[in-house]
């Protein structure tokens, strides 16, 4: 059995039918990580109990116990989600020795479904970044070309998944952090509707925008993992009470060989995205090829206008930084986080004590966000900046709601260019922020979004296409994604050094 080619449900079935054990599958991936991750730096920690946990699953299967849909399937988790007894750093020195006493709901649900956790993946510090270069644990490299970034902030997850260091992984997306690295690394990445997935136990960055979601090698795998992690959670009051559709089942209903009919489906293209985004030639060509493929399958392409999306980046960076400045206040070296070494605490003034703890514990990008956020929330500026951004956010959301009266799914590029070189943009924060031009609107409006691999650049770097649907309409997005997946030559292609 080729573990690099099969999907999650095939492996779960093979384990259930004892064609392979969970221990064998787990050892296979641990060995792969051990041999190849030096080149990528995609993991921060490995779960040294993984094989033991796989053995427990195998034992239960031997006893004939009926386990969940991911029984015995090895996966990784972004180091932003709390894992019981397994270090969770958020990519920061601040939390470099934090061992959570509990699992985040997402992790608990994956374990409940039988998944085995291989380890925790690298990320931008506190998920702030678009290139995975702000991590305290060093930059993550792109498996397609290690001189290039993997994207951020879930760069470790996307890089690990592209290199097949597991069957799937979980990322978080506040302004594009699942979709953008997925696009850069040639894997599928899905950000659910806000409220679909519990944020309980996920290190908070910007609470009104954060969502966790799967990064996988196929659309079917993303659907399956989404199903496992979704649903109401009494520990997160912002989760929806809606029942969770059987996403993977819905997908099976439209067989890929059948040239999935996208008939009666309208795909919207945002007029404003196409005029101002500065798309590079390769990205533009990939995007047009995806639209052509959808048209051939019967979809109708319609133009929609969302002019508020032109303000998405400033709106996002005000709101995200404001919420971050509040969320990160807890890391003061007393309640949580790094404590600087003081020879004698008794003579230290309180503000010096905090500023040393926080100055040492946080990296420069995180400090920048805290400063911007604190400023935007301060009295006198609150109405001009934070409040104004929230008002414009409402207008943007309304425009999306209207647009989805004219179309079922919106397609767009994920980023203006494929992955860029490590070091190329990190010294210019504004340039880096502009990278998020196509992804942040989705979070601001609370919509689901995903990236599906659809092309390769001339330099052989992957390029994804972004799909967005109305609130809680993930199944529409998955349907188009799986049709695109079935109609491109890049599906299932591995980076050459990781074959
Ligand atoms: N690049 C964006 C930021 O730095 C998005 C990050 C994310 O989605 N976590 O805030």
């Amino acid at each position: 059995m080729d573990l690099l080619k099969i999907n999650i449900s095939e492996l779960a079935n093979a384990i259930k039918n004892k064609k392979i054990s969970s221990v064998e599958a787990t050892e296979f991936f641990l060995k792969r990580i051990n041999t190849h991750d030096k080149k990528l730096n995609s993991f921060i920690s490995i779960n040294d109990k993984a094989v033991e946990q796989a053995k427990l699953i195998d034992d239960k299967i031997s006893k004939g116990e009926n386990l969940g849909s991911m029984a015995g399937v090895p996966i990784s988790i972004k180091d932003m989600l709390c894992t019981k007894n397994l270090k969770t750093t958020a990519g920061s020195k601040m939390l470099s020795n934090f061992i959570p006493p509990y699992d985040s709901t997402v992790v608990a649900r994956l374990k409940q479904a039988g998944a085995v956790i291989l380890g925790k993946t690298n990320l931008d510090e506190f998920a702030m970044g678009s290139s995975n270069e702000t991590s305290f644990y060093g930059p993550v490299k792109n498996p397609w070309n290690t001189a290039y970034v993997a994207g951020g902030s879930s760069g470790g997850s996307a890089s690990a998944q592209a290199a097949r260091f597991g069957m799937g992984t979980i990322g978080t997306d506040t302004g594009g952090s699942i979709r953008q690295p997925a696009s850069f690394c040639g894997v599928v990445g899905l950000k659910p509707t806000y409220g679909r997935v519990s944020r309980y136990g996920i290190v908070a960055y910007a609470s009104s925008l954060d969502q966790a979601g799967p990064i996988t090698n196929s659309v079917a795998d993303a659907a399956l993992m989404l199903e496992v992690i979704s649903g109401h959670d009494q520990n997160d009051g912002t989760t929806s009470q809606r029942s969770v559709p059987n996403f993977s089942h819905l997908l099976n209903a439209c067989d890929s060989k059948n040239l999935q009919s996208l008939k009666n489906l309208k795909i919207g293209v945002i007029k404003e995205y196409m005029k101002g985004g500065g798309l590079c030639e390769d990205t533009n060509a990939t995007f047009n090829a995806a639209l052509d493929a959808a048209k051939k399958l019967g979809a109708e392409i319609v133009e929609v206008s969302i002019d508020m999306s032109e303000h998405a980046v400033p709106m996002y960076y005000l709101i995200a930084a404001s919420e971050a400045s509040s969320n990160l206040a807890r890391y003061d070296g007393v309640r949580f986080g790094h404590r600087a070494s003081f020879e004698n605490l008794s003579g230290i003034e309180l503000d010096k004590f905090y500023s040393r703890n926080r100055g040492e514990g946080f990296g420069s990008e995180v400090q920048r966000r805290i400063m911007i956020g604190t400023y935007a929330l301060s009295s006198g500026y609150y109405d001009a900046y934070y409040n104004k951004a929230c008002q414009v956010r409402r207008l943007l959301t309304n425009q999306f709601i209207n647009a989805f009266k004219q179309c079922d799914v919106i397609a767009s590029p994920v980023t203006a260019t494929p992955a860029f070189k490590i070091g190329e943009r990190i010294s210019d924060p504004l340039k880096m922020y502009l990278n998020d031009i196509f992804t942040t609107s989705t979070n601001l409006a609370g919509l689901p979004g995903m990236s599906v691999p659809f092309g390769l650049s001339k330099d052989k770097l992957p390029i994804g296409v972004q799909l967005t649907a109305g609130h809680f309409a993930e199944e529409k997005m998955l349907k188009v994604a799986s049709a695109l997946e079935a109609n491109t030559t890049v599906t299932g292609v591995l980076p050459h050094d990781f074959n």
Side-chain angles (χ1 to χ4, degrees):
M1 177 176 313
D2 188 349
L3 289 179
L4 303 182
K5 299 258 160 68
I6 63 174
N7 66 28
I8 293 180
S9 64
E10 285 165 337
L11 178 60
N13 269 327
I15 293 174
K16 191 167 152 200
N17 298 323
K18 305 212 184 82
K19 296 213 173 76
I20 183 173
S21 68
S22 175
V23 167
E24 282 168 315
T26 303
E27 282 174 342
F28 171 85
F29 286 117
L30 286 175
K31 185 162 166 231
R32 232 177 126 71
I33 298 167
N34 204 6
T35 322
H36 295 293
D37 197 37
K38 293 175 215 61
K39 287 177 258 173
L40 300 178
N41 195 27
S42 67
F43 276 82
I44 291 177
S45 12
I46 296 297
N47 178 14
D48 57 14
K49 301 257 169 17
V51 175
E52 211 175 289
Q53 284 159 4
K55 174 96 182 39
L56 282 177
I57 306 268
D58 285 334
D59 290 347
K60 285 186 184 164
I61 290 173
S62 300
K63 286 189 203 131
E65 276 182 45
N66 212 358
L67 298 169
S69 59
M70 293 184 72
V73 175
I75 58 162
S76 63
I77 305 282
K78 183 180 187 178
D79 211 15
M80 192 75 169
L81 290 93
C82 285
T83 39
K84 188 173 179 178
N85 299 333
L86 182 59
K87 195 171 73 170
T88 299
T89 67
S92 182
K93 179 177 178 181
M94 193 50 108
L95 289 174
S96 54
N97 56 12
F98 172 52
I99 299 181
Y102 71 111
D103 276 325
S104 50
T105 298
V106 167
V107 169
R109 287 184 176 168
L110 288 161
K111 285 186 179 171
Q112 185 65 34
V116 173
I117 313 295
L118 294 163
K120 306 293 294 290
T121 52
N122 204 344
L123 67 156
D124 278 300
E125 186 176 4
F126 283 99
M128 296 175 191
S130 309
S131 62
N132 216 137
E133 293 173 283
T134 73
S135 170
F136 176 65
Y137 303 90
V140 174
K141 290 163 193 160
N142 192 313
W144 292 85
N145 183 334
T146 52
Y148 286 78
V149 301
S153 66
S154 313
S157 288
S159 167
Q161 206 45 48
R164 306 295 199 275
F165 291 164
M167 293 299 294
T169 181
I170 294 289
T172 62
D173 191 313
T174 304
S177 279
I178 288 177
R179 293 158 285 156
Q180 187 252 33
S183 174
F184 283 7
C185 293
V187 287
V188 175
L190 190 154
K191 177 204 104 66
T193 306
Y194 185 82
R196 178 69 94 185
V197 172
S198 168
R199 289 178 294 108
Y200 178 71
I202 300 178
V203 176
Y205 164 12
S207 310
S208 77
L209 300 158
D210 298 341
Q211 273 290 283
I215 297 180
T216 55
N217 295 119
S218 70
V219 175
D221 286 352
L224 188 142
M225 287 183 80
L226 176 65
E227 208 172 287
V228 169
I229 62 173
S230 292
H232 179 251
D233 176 15
Q234 62 176 15
N235 288 326
D236 175 359
T238 62
T239 50
S240 164
Q241 300 271 358
R242 281 171 197 249
S243 60
V244 179
N246 191 334
F247 295 117
S248 43
H249 181 77
L250 284 170
L251 219 54
N252 291 341
C254 44
D255 180 0
S256 63
K257 294 196 189 60
N258 209 347
L259 266 200
Q260 298 178 4
S261 177
L262 294 183
K263 242 196 225 141
N264 302 328
L265 234 135
K266 287 192 181 147
I267 299 185
V269 173
I270 301 178
K271 185 166 97 191
E272 292 78 9
Y273 274 4
M274 301 326 290
K275 71 165 202 241
L279 289 190
C280 82
E281 207 181 294
D282 287 338
T283 305
N284 197 29
T286 299
F287 181 59
N288 285 326
L291 291 184
D292 286 345
K295 257 192 262 174
K296 276 202 195 105
L297 297 169
E300 186 189 337
I301 311 294
V302 299
E303 193 179 78
V304 293
S305 170
I306 302 188
D307 58 11
M308 285 297 155
S309 65
E310 294 181 36
H311 310 294
V313 170
M315 219 188 298
Y316 169 81
Y317 276 92
L318 276 171
I319 294 174
S322 299
E323 292 184 18
S325 74
S326 164
N327 275 326
L328 271 56
R330 74 191 70 172
Y331 305 106
D332 55 10
V334 180
R335 293 168 300 167
F336 296 99
H338 169 81
R339 164 89 59 97
S341 54
F342 296 94
E343 276 194 5
N344 181 1
L345 268 184
S346 58
I348 305 265
E349 288 163 37
L350 199 56
D351 57 346
K352 296 223 170 66
F353 170 77
Y354 285 144
S355 64
R356 260 194 68 192
N357 294 339
R358 286 165 69 79
E360 286 179 15
F362 289 133
S364 57
E365 184 57 33
V366 175
Q367 293 187 23
R368 181 179 296 118
R369 307 281 180 112
I370 294 173
M371 297 299 283
I372 297 171
T374 309
Y375 182 83
L377 289 178
S378 58
S379 94
Y381 295 107
Y382 181 94
D383 281 328
Y385 295 117
Y386 179 72
N387 214 15
K388 184 63 78 188
C390 292
Q391 288 166 335
V392 185
R393 179 182 189 177
R394 183 69 247 173
L395 297 177
L396 173 79
T397 309
N398 290 348
Q399 289 191 342
F400 267 105
I401 291 171
N402 272 331
F404 283 116
K405 288 180 188 147
Q406 298 155 51
C407 64
D408 301 283
V409 168
I410 288 176
S412 74
V414 184
T415 51
T417 67
F420 41 90
K421 287 219 167 96
I422 294 176
E424 194 182 298
R425 296 189 191 170
I426 192 70
S427 55
D428 185 346
L430 282 183
K431 209 171 181 182
M432 192 67 94
Y433 298 170
L434 284 172
N435 210 57
D436 304 335
I437 182 104
F438 299 125
T439 51
T440 43
S441 294
T442 318
N443 303 70
L444 288 163
L447 300 164
M450 70 188 289
S451 171
V452 207
F454 203 78
L456 281 182
S457 71
K458 285 182 211 76
D459 299 331
K460 298 271 173 298
L461 291 165
I463 301 174
V465 169
Q466 177 170 232
L467 302 168
T468 310
H471 295 112
F472 298 99
E474 280 91 351
E475 62 269 28
K476 286 192 190 167
M477 185 174 86
L478 284 162
K479 184 178 170 148
V480 178
S482 105
L484 290 181
E485 179 184 56
N487 287 281
T488 161
T489 50
V490 301
T491 300
V493 181
L494 262 83
H496 47 81
D497 288 346
F498 298 88
N499 264 316

